[in-house]
């Protein structure tokens, strides 16, 4: 139909053709009929230019599907439009619309993975994001890791906390692959530049310790000092005695309080019972925590206690630590 109409115009002579070209120029340069707030438009994969033009005409955005097709074909761009979600802002002209659809500059969505989250929190955030295509619903952690190309790996700590940008329709699997790759690259860089004489034999051990440091403080300035305490305790063969590992080992039974009996519970993650590091990370450590464990602060402190204001008091001896506990914990 399109080519038949175009053929009729050519046969009609130069006057008709000139009139069409003048009308086409006016059409291509005048603003489309869009609301002041703009509109979101999703171009599905495999959609032809003709289908896009007719759809936009039906929606009232374009005055003429024919002219839009003619403009695109004369520009040689009819087959170059790209699928995706676009924001059509007020004032957009048909000429600018064509350039936008050809450029593939689709709307970018964001999702922030928060430092200290565990894997279940990551999955919940992904599941709740409307722009991500869900393909992992109902799969176990083991099945998800297998799909990520990491069969047999524990998922905890494997994904880098950060803010990620992506187009609508990105699959949850591709999103996880991206965050997993980001963590692998960061861990490799940090491990290659680590301080000498650390009591850590593998990058994975660094990841585990970083996950503990991440959960112990929200103060970035404290992370190297807390990492230093744990590094010195590991070197001395002391128990780490860190509450976040106990909480992780308790799982869903944790009700917000740690009791004396919990500190004696024999789970693989209880660092009051077992020496050394727990078997896996307990959270997603951020870049600062990972850097801290591979570049811990120098010093002699072996203990720390929360002061109640988001910061910690560090002690070199058990006697000093017990005094700090009485001051900052028992009195509260």
């Amino acid at each position: 139909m399109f080519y038949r109409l175009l053929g009729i115009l050519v046969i009609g002579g130069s006057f008709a053709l000139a009139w069409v070209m003048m009308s086409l120029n006016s059409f291509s340069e005048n603003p489309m009929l869009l609301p002041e707030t703009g509109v979101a438009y999703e171009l599905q994969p495999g959609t032809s230019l003709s289908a896009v033009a007719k759809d936009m005409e039906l929606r009232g955005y374009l005055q003429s599907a024919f002219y839009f097709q003619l403009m695109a074909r004369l520009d040689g761009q009819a087959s170059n439009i790209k699928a995706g979600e676009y924001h059509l802002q007020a004032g957009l002209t048909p000429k600018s619309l064509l350039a936008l659809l050809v450029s593939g500059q689709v709307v970018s969505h964001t999702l922030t993975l928060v430092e200290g989250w565990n894997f279940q929190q990551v999955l919940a955030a992904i599941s709740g994001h409307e722009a991500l295509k869900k393909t992992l619903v109902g799969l176990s952690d083991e099945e998800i890791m297998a799909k990520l190309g990491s069969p047999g790996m524990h998922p905890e700590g494997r994904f880098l906390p950060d803010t990620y940008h992506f187009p609508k329709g990105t699959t949850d699997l591709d999103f996880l692959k991206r965050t997993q790759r980001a963590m692998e690259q960061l861990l490799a860089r940090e491990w290659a530049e680590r301080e000498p004489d650390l009591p850590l034999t593998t990058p994975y051990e660094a990841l585990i310790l970083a996950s503990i440091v991440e959960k112990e403080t929200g103060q970035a300035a404290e992370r190297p000092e807390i990492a230093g305490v744990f590094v010195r305790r590991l070197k001395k063969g002391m128990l780490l005695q860190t509450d976040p590992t106990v909480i992780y080992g308790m799982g869903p039974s944790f009700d917000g309080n740690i009791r004396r009996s919990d500190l004696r519970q024999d789970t693989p993650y209880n660092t009051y019972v077992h020496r050394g590091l727990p078997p896996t990370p307990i959270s997603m450590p951020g870049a600062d925590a990972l850097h801290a464990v591979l570049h811990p602060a120098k010093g002699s402190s072996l203990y720390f206690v929360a002061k109640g204001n988001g910061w910690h008091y560090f002690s070199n001896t058990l006697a000093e630590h017990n005094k700090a506990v009485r001051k900052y914990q028992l009195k509260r």
Side-chain angles (χ1 to χ4, degrees):
M1 182 66 177
F2 173 83
Y3 287 109
R4 188 184 308 163
L5 288 172
L6 191 58
I8 292 172
L9 290 172
V10 172
I11 294 172
S14 58
F15 176 79
L17 186 58
W19 180 84
V20 167
M21 295 307 295
M22 183 175 64
S23 299
L24 175 63
N25 184 65
S26 176
F27 165 81
S28 65
E29 298 293 345
N30 283 316
M32 297 168 58
L33 304 175
L34 296 168
E36 291 184 6
T37 56
V39 66
Y41 187 84
E42 191 168 357
L43 202 166
Q44 297 292 339
T47 305
S48 67
L49 176 79
S50 173
V52 171
K54 290 176 182 177
D55 180 57
M56 288 198 175
E57 185 180 56
L58 286 173
R59 291 171 183 255
Y61 303 159
L62 282 176
Q63 291 180 321
S64 170
F66 170 77
Y67 275 136
F68 188 72
Q69 292 180 76
L70 178 60
M71 178 185 67
R73 295 185 191 282
L74 290 176
D75 286 349
Q77 302 287 7
S79 60
N80 294 335
I81 60 173
K82 298 177 177 64
E85 181 187 14
Y86 295 89
H87 176 68
L88 311 183
Q89 60 185 12
L92 191 71
T93 66
K95 184 176 182 180
S96 299
L97 170 65
L98 178 61
L100 179 64
L101 298 181
V102 169
S103 73
Q105 293 178 359
V106 297
V107 173
S108 180
H109 294 269
T110 62
L111 176 57
T112 299
L113 303 186
V114 180
E115 297 171 344
W117 272 3
N118 60 36
F119 186 57
Q120 295 309 310
Q121 290 172 302
V122 172
L123 291 182
I126 290 173
S127 176
H129 202 293
E130 62 181 14
L132 287 171
K133 183 179 179 181
K134 313 304 186 297
T135 66
L136 303 176
V137 177
L139 298 185
S140 66
D141 292 356
E142 293 77 13
E143 291 170 327
I144 292 174
M145 293 307 292
K147 283 186 171 292
L148 288 169
S150 304
M153 285 188 178
H154 195 282
E156 207 66 81
R158 299 282 187 177
F159 309 94
L160 183 66
D162 203 347
T163 296
Y164 296 89
H165 302 265
F166 53 90
K168 185 176 182 179
T170 299
T171 68
D172 46 9
L173 181 62
D174 285 339
F175 179 85
L176 274 179
K177 283 181 178 178
R178 181 180 170 190
T179 64
Q180 181 186 34
R181 185 165 57 251
M183 177 60 88
E184 290 172 349
Q185 293 171 348
L186 174 65
L187 182 56
R189 289 196 304 270
E190 289 288 352
W191 181 255
E193 299 173 359
R194 68 190 183 280
E195 295 289 327
D197 302 323
L198 293 176
L200 305 168
T201 58
T202 66
Y204 191 57
E205 289 186 352
L207 190 64
I208 294 172
L209 185 55
S211 75
I212 298 173
V213 171
E214 189 65 75
K215 294 298 289 184
E216 278 287 7
T217 182
Q219 304 294 341
E222 276 194 344
R223 287 172 187 153
E225 194 165 2
I226 286 180
V229 169
F230 288 137
V231 164
R232 286 185 286 276
R233 291 180 76 95
L234 286 172
K235 284 184 176 181
K236 291 177 177 291
M238 298 173 65
L239 292 166
L240 292 184
Q241 295 182 320
T242 169
D243 291 353
T245 62
V246 177
I247 293 170
Y248 188 84
M250 293 172 66
S253 67
F254 177 64
D255 61 4
N257 294 307
I258 297 181
R259 300 166 180 82
R260 192 177 298 275
S261 60
D262 297 326
L263 299 181
R264 294 194 295 266
Q265 187 178 355
D266 189 7
T267 76
Y269 290 89
N270 191 340
T271 53
Y272 284 83
V273 174
H274 299 285
R275 296 186 186 278
L277 297 168
T280 73
I282 62 170
S283 71
M284 290 194 308
D288 289 343
L290 191 56
H291 185 80
V293 302
L294 294 172
H295 302 272
K298 308 299 182 183
S300 55
S301 57
L302 294 170
Y303 308 89
F304 59 86
V305 62
K307 295 163 64 175
N309 60 358
W311 296 82
H312 293 82
Y313 182 88
F314 294 84
S315 304
N316 296 340
T317 66
L318 181 58
E320 183 186 2
H321 174 65
N322 288 337
K323 183 178 179 181
V325 170
R326 289 192 294 270
K327 177 179 180 180
Y328 295 110
Q329 293 289 319
L330 299 183
K331 285 186 178 180
R332 289 195 295 119

